[in-house]
Amino acid sequence: MLDVDMTAKGFEKIVTPESRLDVIAHDLMFGEGPVWNKRTGEFYWVDIIGDTIWKWKPGGARSVVVRPSYRADGLTFDLEGRLVVAGWSWRRVWRLEHDNTITTLCSEFEGQKLNSPNDIVVKSDGSIWFTDPSGGLNNVEMHGDDVQRYMDYHGVFRISPDGKTTTLVVKDLTYPNGLAFTHDEKQLYINDTRENNIRVWDVNADGTLSNKRMFCELKGPEAGVADGMKVDVDGNVYCTGPAGIHVHDKNGKMLGRILVPGHTTNLGFGDEDWKSLFITTYSSVFRVRLGVAGLPVW
Amino acid sequence: MTWKFELVYGPNGRALGGLAWDGKSMLVSDAMDLKILSFTEGAKEPAVFRKWTNRVNGIAFGPGGVLYGCQEGSRRVIEMKPDGSSVVTTTVLDGAQYNHPYNATIDKKGRVWFSDRLHAVLASGPQVFPYLPHQSVLRMTLMGRPHTEWHVERLTYDTKSPRGVAVSPDEKTLYVAETDTVPGGVQELRAYPILADGTLGPCTVLHSFGADYRGVHRGIDGICVGKDGHIFACAGWSRSGPGATVYVFNPDGRIAESHAIPEGTPLNCAFGGADLSTLYVTTREGHVYRTKTGYTGHLLYKAA
């Protein structure tokens, strides 16, 4: 049985008596970027300090996808099944093409280099949304070629479906990190690592955001901060926080916490039925089977 | 001569640390505000020389006008380039991460000597890298052909809390302010002979600070040298001892002069001005003072 606490009614549907932590990897320096590739049935993640993008097929061995990965961080797939990467200390968003070449999608905004793209999500129209805090420039042993920060803000950006235009959609967060759409894509959650909370916006048809409001705070005396975040088919929001993963329902009510050994960095749903939750920590990747499926990744 | 300290700036409430004369202006690190300020004579306000430094403290110009910075918040030494970009030079000694590089000086060979200390404020990012089991003076030397690889050496094996570092104009001596302000801590101005093989011989103590019932007499933090070999040192505080003072030591350790600063706890100093005879002094409370001294600073490098 999985360790949980602060549970409310409804959590038993998510974490079942059969739920337990399986260890997928345990030798990482800084695990991040968990994402499931539905086309190949493989799980992808990164080791930022270990400078590698990894993949693993259940029942098989893991293998290197890209190394060096230029400190790659958040991962997702686009509508064509290409890996899209929040490049962190490489200061760009890039795409791994099917022929394994790399295409830079965005590296600057209004003439300034990006800070360090951290997490990333693709909307059903093909637009790419990413957060851009500056940690990749400052964190010990995560540096890239240029560690100077130029922007006076930590933005959230949207790359248009045709890839031609990048727009700044949020400019006023302290340290935006994880981001996730609701199932109907009418709302976008963005969390803030320094403030340890999640805010939610309405997503407008023109790709802008409005009606910013607080969704929830991530409470607890334990170590752990708002980092990775995903949503399940019932609208529940899963976010890293003190002690592990905090699950809130769509109204922001706390349903419970999944206690994870180590410092949790991110999470992603996977397996064919999307009912496995893959969890990255500094050192490890875990998998836990849940009673509810997550929203699929393209 | 009498020193007349002129308050140039502050106090701004934050410790102001590293200084470097760029040839026209004095650069001063405002580490906790993530900035380097630039003070030009005649200007009413400092200009911002660099933003988002992630706590660069000690700064020093090197060959080609490269500005090196001890980046406490990232546990590394960086190179701040004239085009505005910044590049990491080194982060590890024998495979283990630095503590928090603090103060640096550059010699005629372009070698970067720096003190590497613990700091109460944690560095950025996950705390996954342990500290070194010692706090020492380290040195980076550009090696190889072409000269692109930094070789890092540990130089002191008897320091617990090294702060200011300076190399004598004849490059035969390394001065280290070894200042551990805990009760019973060593507070010394030390002179290490630089041997022919580049290592250090046993140090002599040029000056030592004591304690009484009011507590330790605060020893030296920042130091710099003059072209005639004098050592200029920031020490003292109001709670014990003779008070906040800038000392001028002869190379043999004799105190040539000492000057009380008007207010605050002196932290670091450097020479600037057109004739290099103006000493700039910073404090823990965030003052920047300057005074004419009758001495001339020892300046090897400035901005390109």
Side-chain angles (χ1 to χ4, degrees), chain B residues 60-232:
Chain B
F61 282 101
V66 168
L67 182 62
Y68 293 97
C70 296
Q71 197 171 34
E72 288 180 350
S74 298
R75 298 174 60 183
R76 61 198 182 196
V77 177
I78 62 169
E79 208 180 289
M80 289 171 277
K81 301 199 175 237
D83 70 359
S85 65
S86 295
V87 174
V88 175
T89 61
T90 61
T91 60
V92 294
L93 170 71
D94 299 332
Q97 270 67 31
Y98 296 157
N99 301 313
H100 299 264
Y102 184 64
N103 260 324
T105 190
I106 321 291
D107 69 11
K108 286 173 189 160
K109 292 177 178 163
R111 298 181 297 187
V112 180
W113 308 63
F114 64 99
S115 52
D116 182 46
R117 293 164 46 73
L118 297 182
H119 196 286
V121 183
L122 297 176
S124 301
Q127 304 296 312
V128 295
F129 294 101
Y131 294 111
L132 292 175
H134 54 86
Q135 300 183 57
S136 307
V137 177
L138 311 180
R139 185 177 63 201
M140 296 167 21
T141 307
L142 209 47
M143 304 284 275
R145 231 179 262 121
H147 288 204
T148 52
E149 274 179 45
W150 289 101
H151 175 64
V152 183
E153 296 162 276
R154 178 180 176 185
L155 292 178
T156 62
Y157 289 83
D158 57 354
T159 49
K160 285 185 176 167
S161 186
R163 295 175 190 250
V165 289
V167 176
S168 63
D170 64 7
E171 307 217 332
K172 289 180 176 167
T173 308
L174 173 72
Y175 300 112
V176 178
E178 164 73 356
T179 298
D180 197 0
T181 50
V182 300
V186 166
Q187 306 198 88
E188 295 174 344
L189 177 61
R190 294 178 172 180
Y192 293 85
I194 302 171
L195 306 180
D197 67 357
T199 63
L200 303 179
C203 72
T204 56
V205 175
L206 301 189
H207 191 83
S208 176
F209 294 80
D212 56 35
Y213 74 94
R214 297 176 299 172
V216 295
H217 300 178
R218 174 178 174 264
I220 298 166
D221 206 302
I223 59 175
C224 68
V225 292
K227 79 171 174 45
D228 296 328
H230 298 94
I231 306 132
F232 300 81

Side-chain angles (χ1 to χ4, degrees), chain A:
Chain A
M1 175 72 188
L2 197 60
D3 281 341
V4 298
D5 70 0
M6 297 169 71
T7 58
K9 188 166 166 41
F11 198 60
E12 73 284 352
K13 189 186 163 194
I14 296 169
V15 174
T16 71
E18 286 75 42
S19 299
R20 61 185 177 91
L21 279 181
D22 298 325
V23 178
I24 307 300
H26 56 80
D27 57 352
L28 311 176
M29 300 275 275
F30 197 99
E32 249 285 4
V35 67
W36 180 258
N37 186 343
K38 68 176 184 183
R39 290 167 177 78
T40 63
E42 292 168 317
F43 170 69
Y44 284 61
W45 79 95
V46 304
D47 184 347
I48 298 177
I49 298 175
D51 214 14
T52 303
I53 300 177
W54 290 101
K55 68 177 179 180
W56 170 75
K57 192 159 188 129
R62 71 177 180 189
S63 59
V64 171
V65 181
V66 180
R67 181 159 65 195
S69 60
Y70 317 105
R71 313 289 182 190
D73 196 342
L75 304 178
T76 193
F77 288 96
D78 69 8
L79 307 186
E80 296 177 37
R82 296 172 295 193
L83 189 69
V84 184
V85 181
W88 197 231
S89 317
W90 205 21
R91 312 186 73 158
R92 66 193 64 195
V93 170
W94 55 277
R95 184 170 68 210
L96 186 65
E97 306 292 348
H98 289 306
D99 65 2
N100 280 329
T101 58
I102 285 171
T103 303
T104 295
L105 303 179
C106 176
S107 60
E108 57 178 54
F109 181 73
E110 290 181 342
Q112 288 182 309
K113 274 189 197 178
L114 297 177
N115 296 316
S116 46
N118 178 292
D119 213 341
I120 192 159
V121 64
V122 172
K123 198 162 169 276
S124 62
D125 62 0
S127 58
I128 298 168
W129 301 61
F130 65 95
T131 54
D132 186 41
S134 62
L137 311 179
N138 298 330
N139 291 1
V140 176
E141 291 302 328
M142 286 191 185
H143 57 270
D145 292 339
D146 180 6
V147 296
Q148 178 65 45
R149 174 178 164 188
Y150 302 97
M151 291 176 169
D152 286 333
Y153 57 92
H154 289 153
V156 181
F157 295 93
R158 172 187 180 268
I159 304 173
S160 60
D162 63 8
K164 288 180 179 165
T165 316
T166 299
T167 50
L168 176 63
V169 293
V170 177
K171 194 181 180 178
D172 59 354
L173 293 183
T174 307
Y175 196 99
N177 192 321
L179 73 177
F181 287 102
T182 51
H183 72 285
D184 58 6
E185 299 184 333
K186 287 185 175 164
Q187 291 171 330
L188 176 68
Y189 297 106
I190 306 174
N191 67 35
D192 190 305
T193 302
R194 298 271 185 273
E195 298 181 9
N196 242 359
N197 59 30
I198 303 172
R199 291 188 176 83
V200 60
W201 285 255
D202 293 339
V203 182
N204 304 317
D206 62 358
T208 59
L209 299 176
S210 59
N211 194 21
K212 169 192 178 188
R213 56 213 185 266
M214 187 64 74
F215 176 69
C216 71
E217 301 198 10
L218 301 157
K219 293 173 183 165
E222 304 90 345
V225 291
D227 196 338
M229 180 168 59
K230 301 292 185 299
V231 177
D232 73 16
V233 294
D234 289 343
N236 302 313
V237 180
Y238 299 64
C239 186
T240 65
I245 294 168
H246 296 217
V247 184
H248 290 80
D249 74 9
K250 57 188 168 193
N251 300 313
K253 182 191 161 204
M254 178 70 154
L255 290 183
R257 307 195 302 181
I258 299 172
L259 305 181
V260 180
H263 184 112
T264 309
T265 57
N266 207 338
L267 53 120
F269 289 96
D271 278 333
E272 275 184 29
D273 60 2
W274 298 99
K275 283 187 176 179
S276 284
L277 186 65
F278 290 90
I279 301 164
T280 51
T281 68
Y282 288 169
S283 64
S284 306
V285 177
F286 301 107
R287 180 183 59 181
V288 55
R289 293 288 297 166
L290 298 180
V292 178
L295 289 179
V297 179
W298 310 110

Side-chain angles (χ1 to χ4, degrees), chain B residues 28-83:
Chain B
V28 176
S29 294
D30 189 346
M32 293 311 286
D33 200 35
L34 316 181
K35 286 191 182 79
I36 297 173
L37 304 174
S38 166
F39 295 87
T40 307
E41 231 165 309
K44 278 191 173 171
E45 295 283 328
V48 175
F49 173 80
R50 200 86 165 189
K51 289 204 280 192
W52 306 118
T53 58
N54 207 37
R55 292 167 49 201
V56 164
N57 194 340
I59 49 176
F61 282 101
V66 168
L67 182 62
Y68 293 97
C70 296
Q71 197 171 34
E72 288 180 350
S74 298
R75 298 174 60 183
R76 61 198 182 196
V77 177
I78 62 169
E79 208 180 289
M80 289 171 277
K81 301 199 175 237
D83 70 359

